[in-house]
Amino acid sequence: MTRKLGYREAMREAMHEALASDPRVFLMGEDVGRYGGTYAFSKGFLDEFGPERIRDTPLSELAFVGAGIGAALGGLRPIVEVMTVNFSLLALDQIVNTAALYRHMSGGQFSVPLVIRMATGAGRQVAAQHSHSLEGWYAHIPGIKVLAPATVEDARGMLAPALADPDPVVIFEHAGLFNLEGEVPDDCTVDIAGAKVRRGGTAVSIITYGGSLPKALAAAETLAAEGVDAEVVDLRVLRPLDTATIVASVAKCRRAVIVDEGWRSGSLAAEVMARIMENAFFELDAPVARVCSEEVPIPYARHLEEAALPQPEKIVAAVKGLFA
Amino acid sequence: MSAQVAQVELAPPPSGPVPYPREFSIQLLTDMVRIRRLEEKCAELYGAGKIRGFLHLYIGEEAVAAGALPALAPGDNVVATYREHGHALVRGMSMNAIMAEMYGKREGCARGRGGSMHLFDSATRLYGGNAIVGGGLPLATGLALAARMQHEDRVTACFFGDGAVAEGAFHESLNLAALWKLPVLFCCENNLYGMGTAIERAESQTDLCAKARSYDMPALSADGMDIVSAYETTKEAVAMIGQGPVFVEYRTYRYRAHSMFDAELYRQKAEVEEWKTRGPIHTFTARLKAEGKLTEEEFLALDARAAAEVAAAVAFAEAGTWEPVEDLLKDVHTP
Ligand SMILES: Cc1ncc(C[n+]2csc(CCOP(=O)(O)OP(=O)(O)O)c2C)c(N)n1
Ligand SMILES: [Mg+2]
């Protein structure tokens, strides 16, 4: 059986389930309590679970992310909500220098079972300081897992395995997806092990993640109407990357376009491309193409912002370029 | 550039009665001597190329760790910095495990992955060995939060230097811990310098207790060269923890260079010499002798035992093995 669910409600249900089923789980972050969550993901939680487990924090990203790490070391299972990836830069030290390193640096003595959630991405005309897509930075760091739920099912299902993971997991929720609706199975169990093919095809593999997934699917529809049968791969797990699924899709389609809202230079798209070169070079009928954000601070004005970001039309054009 | 001299009025050397039974007094002294002997050997081994990387010696500051840590209970948590050999040792880690770690051997506490700056010990609840200045404070705040939420009667002692006080992590953590009334003991080892920067060149307000009090937490100042003051002040602070965090400043001094790469251009030799008159080991030894709690023979014997412990640790580290390179990636994630 399936049911219709929105992305926000899916996130809310996932957190609710975690809080209700495990007393070690608590939620901490800016305005998660009285305000009900910046994006209303935790509306009503304060009344239901109380201020000990739904903790409004001061504007201290470094301290409350670090406190989440300490609380995880101390036996709890914190969900730390950082309002957006843009502000996570103030907490980067704790994530990179503590959470990611502690297990290895301590010779296996201390694991950090922490989940950090944050909104990411552009597309809402909130200008340069609120529009970053830095998933690729985080995916660079050994010691953390990086997830990008791009469907309602993943929004509903990824939190539970993330909390069950004994190591730090960072979840990026693209703000452009929050109004997404979808059918989810009643038992919404998903893995956080690898990528998924969201649309089967044979002519070109479009590989993407997060907020770009709906754009890639829209591009695939357009291409289908023109007789190009595109496959769409949703990476889902940005670290560790699922090389096998990427390579299988590319080997089948023999052409690939990578769509990434991060900037092109040093991007996650570059990493995917490198893996294709390493593992599927001789399967290719054309050079691999990329659709990334333009290398510019994301502007406010709608037409400029749209021009700066990956769009279905750009993806269609990139695919056609491979057949030219 | 002329050398900067820290503008502090030097108190007279620690003196006066030692209010403890003989056995405990000698334990305090022994721990200071063990740290001193261990680190003198470390400096030597560094010169010999046996220990590499960064090595930060605690020599001169021993009374802080050796005085503060006995005031804690075994179930308490400890978070320390990269200058933490003394803390690890007094907390109960074996000298063998410390030395082997500095050698980079598999028998080290972190199997050679951490080295001098990253001593960890789950058995004694030592959560590092953190080499990011201020990095331990948010972590300690979270450990205390976990203790509070799980109704565990546990204090988290967090050691950091005067330099860390300028970091945002200090201010964010003190605020959060005070706001949530968490059982954190903020232990500031004020040795008057952060690398080459004297405290008055880094802080608009050099009264560090005043900073802590501004976050509405009690703040105590101890003479970090006097183990009696360090122990008593820490004990008093631990007793106050029930109502929330407490800040303790230990006024101390580092005799050696910041690390092994430091020409010490920022202070005068005379200043170091002056502070040596307040040395934690010789002043405490003299007090114990004056009270008849220690004889010269007993001192020599405990010193010899410490030296023997160090020699055994070196032999242990020398005989240690290297972690197989095949295990390089082990423990990036929990299996
Ligand atoms: C965030 C950060 N900045 C700079 C450094 C380099 N550094 C290492 S120790 C140190 C001085 C710290 O002084 P203090 O906190 O007083 O501790 P002390 O070394 O005196 O014990 C500096 C600047 C660092 N490790 N971390
Ligand atoms: Mg200092």
Side-chain angles (χ1 to χ4, degrees), chain A residues 63 74 94 103 107 109 111 167, chain B residues 109 111 122 135 150 172 331 334:
Chain A
Q94 284 293 320
R103 169 106 197 150
Q109 292 188 74
S111 299
D167 297 312
Chain B
C109 61
R111 300 213 313 274
S122 58
Q150 294 172 111
E172 291 190 16
D331 286 322
T334 308

Side-chain angles (χ1 to χ4, degrees), chain A residues 252-274:
Chain A
K252 178 174 71 175
C253 301
R254 311 188 77 84
R255 288 178 171 79
V257 173
I258 303 151
V259 184
D260 180 358
E261 196 177 302
W263 289 300
R264 176 181 303 257
S265 303
S267 59
L268 197 65
E271 176 60 29
V272 173
M273 219 170 191

